[in-house]
Amino acid sequence: GQQVMQIPQYQHVQEGEDFTTYCNSSTTLSNIQWYKQRPGGHPVFLIQLVKSGEVKKQKRLTFQFGEAKKNSSLHITATQTTDVGTYFCAGPDGGGTSYGKLTFGQGTILTVHP
Amino acid sequence: GAVVSQHPSRVICKSGTSVKIECRSLDFQATTMFWYRQFPKQSLMLMATSNEGSKATYEQGVEKDKFLINHASLTLSTLTVTSAHPEDSSFYICSAIRGNEQFFGPGTRLTVL
């Protein structure tokens, strides 16, 4: 079945440093979504990428979707303590276009030291 | 504000008992809801797709007789963990789609003693 791999599993940074998490799918994706889960909380939708090679920015966050639509990355510039949490990528299950059934990556747990 | 609610947020039960978890979409109708399970420091694993007015679709390896899902209305899906065991202890999260966005409930942390 479809697999979504995410690295690294953990990332510890000093406040102000940059952070990047990478996501790779075993199949071509119609779209990829990114979520953030704060400690003790639930996943919160950040963004969806649909087009090959797409790049989207949200303040200090930059999201990229690979040309082959099988990989993606999330980059945070100048991390802040509020960035702490687990970042998940997720793709539609089975390669479909459904926004519902998602296969999640393992997540990257980000800790930021002040 | 929250668009999907879950109740209870936390429950502790004895082994062998059943626990019902409710998932509600607030101010919108959801013909489809999803139930996920998340173990500590792990990813979300889809358990089943809850369909209003019809049977739920379970993912491979998920026992439908153990995890009963009822989607009786367009705003409510329930997950009942029957004859709970300690290994069922987990964080259960539901989600619903509004527009092109998937909204997750706040989750229910189940502890089975």
Side-chain angles (χ1 to χ4, degrees), chain B residues 8 17 26 30 41 46 55 69 75-76 78-79 83 98-99 106:
Chain B
T17 60
L26 306 176
K41 296 193 185 300
L46 179 66
K55 291 182 180 180
I69 291 174
T75 59
L76 173 64
T78 61
L79 167 68
S83 187
R98 188 178 74 176

Side-chain angles (χ1 to χ4, degrees), chain A residues 5-112:
Chain A
M5 307 298 291
Q6 198 174 343
I7 58 169
Q9 187 175 2
Y10 300 95
Q11 186 75 60
H12 311 282
V13 299
Q14 286 292 131
E15 189 172 21
E17 293 181 339
D18 293 353
F19 158 75
T20 305
T21 174
Y22 300 90
C23 185
N24 263 295
S25 170
S26 59
T27 60
T28 301
L29 300 171
S30 59
N31 68 80
I32 194 158
Q33 299 166 39
W34 285 91
Y35 293 81
K36 177 183 178 181
Q37 184 175 23
R38 294 183 184 274
H42 61 281
V44 174
F45 176 84
L46 292 177
I47 207 162
Q48 178 181 268
L49 304 172
V50 178
K51 299 178 183 177
S52 169
E54 188 170 15
V55 177
K56 284 189 177 180
K57 291 191 175 184
Q58 289 180 351
K59 297 183 180 179
R60 295 179 293 103
L61 277 62
T62 302
F63 304 85
Q64 291 188 323
F65 200 11
E67 294 290 340
K69 301 182 74 172
K70 293 180 72 174
N71 61 293
S72 181
S73 66
L74 158 59
H75 179 82
I76 301 179
T77 304
T79 55
Q80 299 175 358
T81 54
T82 53
D83 295 325
V84 164
T86 303
Y87 292 85
F88 292 99
C89 61
D93 193 54
T97 59
S98 167
Y99 294 105
K101 289 185 65 173
L102 297 174
T103 299
F104 279 80
Q106 299 93 324
T108 296
I109 299 173
L110 172 65
T111 55
V112 179

Side-chain angles (χ1 to χ4, degrees), chain B residues 5-21:
Chain B
S5 70
Q6 264 183 261
H7 178 78
S9 59
R10 199 177 285 269
V11 58
I12 301 173
C13 69
K14 292 183 179 180
S15 204
T17 60
S18 294
V19 175
K20 180 186 281 188
I21 302 169

Side-chain angles (χ1 to χ4, degrees), chain B residues 41-58:
Chain B
K41 296 193 185 300
Q42 294 189 23
S43 189
L44 282 79
M45 298 298 294
L46 179 66
M47 298 175 65
T49 303
S50 173
N51 304 298
E52 189 269 335
S54 65
K55 291 182 180 180
T57 306
Y58 291 83

